[in-house]
C-alpha cells in the first residue's frame, strides 16, 4: 500500500510487477547516463575557450549523434515490447473471476464456482474499525489464493471504470459491453489495495479495491463456506 513516505513504486507482490520494477530501473539508468553525458558536454561548451571559425560541417560527429540515440532506443524498446507481451499473456488460468464496475462499487463473480457473487462497497467513515484504512477498505474483499494463476475478466454496467492494483502491476479497463482480461499471480499472502483509475463520476474516489491473498487450503474452506450460503 502506498503511504505518505512512498517515493518509488510499491513493493512487488507478483512476478509481473517485479518485471515492471526491473524495467523501471533499467530505463532510469539509461536516462541517468544520458543526463550525465549531456551535462558534461554542456559544461565543456560553456567553460572552454577553444573556437573554430572555419568549422562548416562535421560528418563524423553527426553520424555519431544520429546512431547513438537509435541504439539507446533499441535498448529501451526491446525489454519494453517483451514486457507488453508478458502483461497481455493469459496462460491456463486455474481460477477465473469476473469483476463488474458500477457507480460506485465493484461486483465480483467467481464463475468457476456455484452461487458466489457479492458486491464490494467502501466502508463509510462512521462505520470504520480502528484497523481499517480510510478510503481504502471495503466490506467484502476479493479473496484469492497465492501462487495460483488467476484470470480476471473486467467489464462495467454503466460507465468506463479501471480495475487497478499497483502492487500487482495490474491495470485493466472495465468498459460497458466489453470483456477485458488480465492474468495475475500473487507470490505471498497479504492485503493489496487499489482504486478505480478512470474518472467515472462524482464518487470516483470512493470505490476502492481490496484483494486478500490467502493459502490455497484456506481458499478452499472459504469457497465451501460461500457455496453453503
Amino acid at each position: 500500500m502506498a503511504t505518505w513516505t512512498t517515493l518509488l513504486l510499491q513493493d512487488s507482490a507478483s512476478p509481473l510487477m517485479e518485471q515492471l520494477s526491473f524495467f523501471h530501473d533499467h530505463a532510469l539508468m539509461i536516462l541517468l547516463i544520458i543526463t550525465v553525458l549531456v551535462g558534461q558536454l554542456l559544461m565543456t561548451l560553456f567553460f572552454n575557450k577553444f573556437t573554430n571559425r572555419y568549422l562548416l560541417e562535421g560528418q563524423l560527429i553527426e553520424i555519431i549523434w544520429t546512431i547513438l540515440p537509435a541504439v539507446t532506443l533499441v535498448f529501451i524498446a526491446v525489454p519494453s515490447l517483451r514486457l507488453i507481451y508478458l502483461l497481455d499473456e493469459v496462460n491456463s488460468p486455474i481460477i477465473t473471476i469476473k469483476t463488474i464496475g458500477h457507480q460506485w462499487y465493484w461486483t465480483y463473480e467467481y464463475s468457476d464456482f456455484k452461487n458466489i457473487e457479492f458486491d464490494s462497497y467502501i466502508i463509510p467513515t462512521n462505520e470504520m474499525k480502528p484497523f481499517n484504512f480510510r478510503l481504502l477498505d471495503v466490506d467484502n474483499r476479493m479473496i484469492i489464493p497465492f501462487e495460483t494463476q488467476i484470470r480476471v475478466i473486467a467489464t462495467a454496467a454503466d460507465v468506463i471504470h479501471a480495475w487497478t492494483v499497483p502492487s500487482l502491476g495490474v491495470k485493466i479497463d472495465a468498459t460497458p459491453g466489453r470483456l477485458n482480461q488480465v492474468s495475475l499471480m500473487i507470490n505471498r499472502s497479504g492485503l493489496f489495495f487499489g482504486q478505480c483509475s478512470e474518472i467515472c463520476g462524482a464518487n470516483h474516489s470512493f470505490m476502492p479495491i481490496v484483494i486478500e491473498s490467502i493459502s490455497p487450503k484456506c481458499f478452499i474452506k472459504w469457497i465451501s463456506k460461500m457455496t453453503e450460503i
Side-chain angles (χ1 to χ4, degrees), residues 106-210:
W106 297 96
T107 298
Y108 297 105
E109 297 178 4
Y110 289 69
S111 53
D112 295 328
F113 308 96
K114 196 175 181 181
N115 300 327
I116 300 182
E117 178 182 348
F118 55 85
D119 297 330
S120 181
Y121 287 87
I122 188 173
I123 298 178
T125 304
N126 58 349
E127 297 179 11
M128 290 176 60
K129 302 289 194 304
F131 54 81
N132 290 134
F133 292 104
R134 180 177 172 271
L135 300 181
L136 281 178
D137 254 317
V138 295
D139 53 0
N140 292 310
R141 297 166 178 166
M142 175 180 167
I143 310 291
I144 60 174
F146 58 75
E147 294 183 347
T148 303
Q149 197 72 36
I150 310 291
R151 175 174 61 179
V152 177
I153 298 175
T155 187
D158 34 49
V159 299
I160 299 176
H161 301 273
W163 196 81
T164 306
V165 185
S167 59
L168 303 181
V170 173
K171 185 171 189 276
I172 180 173
D173 287 335
T175 308
R178 286 191 172 189
L179 294 176
N180 287 336
Q181 68 175 6
V182 68
S183 177
L184 62 92
M185 185 176 72
I186 302 177
N187 50 25
R188 57 187 169 88
S189 60
L191 293 178
F192 306 98
F193 297 88
Q195 290 176 303
C196 176
S197 297
E198 188 74 36
I199 298 177
C200 56
N203 290 334
H204 158 69
S205 302
F206 305 102
M207 50 181 302
I209 301 157
V210 182

Side-chain angles (χ1 to χ4, degrees), residues 3-19:
T3 63
W4 294 108
T5 57
T6 302
L7 298 178
L8 297 175
L9 301 174
Q10 295 185 27
D11 292 338
S12 303
S14 71
L16 289 178
M17 188 56 197
E18 289 176 2
Q19 293 296 319

Side-chain angles (χ1 to χ4, degrees), residues 40 72 86 94 103 107 120 163 178 183 202 220:
Q40 183 181 6
T72 304
L86 280 176
I94 297 176
Q103 289 181 314
T107 298
S120 181
W163 196 81
R178 286 191 172 189
S183 177
I220 292 172

Side-chain angles (χ1 to χ4, degrees), residues 37-66:
L37 178 61
V38 173
Q40 183 181 6
L41 290 174
L42 286 175
M43 295 294 287
T44 304
L45 288 173
F46 283 139
F47 293 105
N48 78 65
K49 298 181 180 180
F50 299 106
T51 59
N52 189 345
R53 293 185 299 163
Y54 303 106
L55 180 64
L56 296 177
E57 61 180 19
Q59 296 289 342
L60 179 60
I61 191 64
E62 289 180 3
I63 292 173
I64 291 172
W65 70 40
T66 301

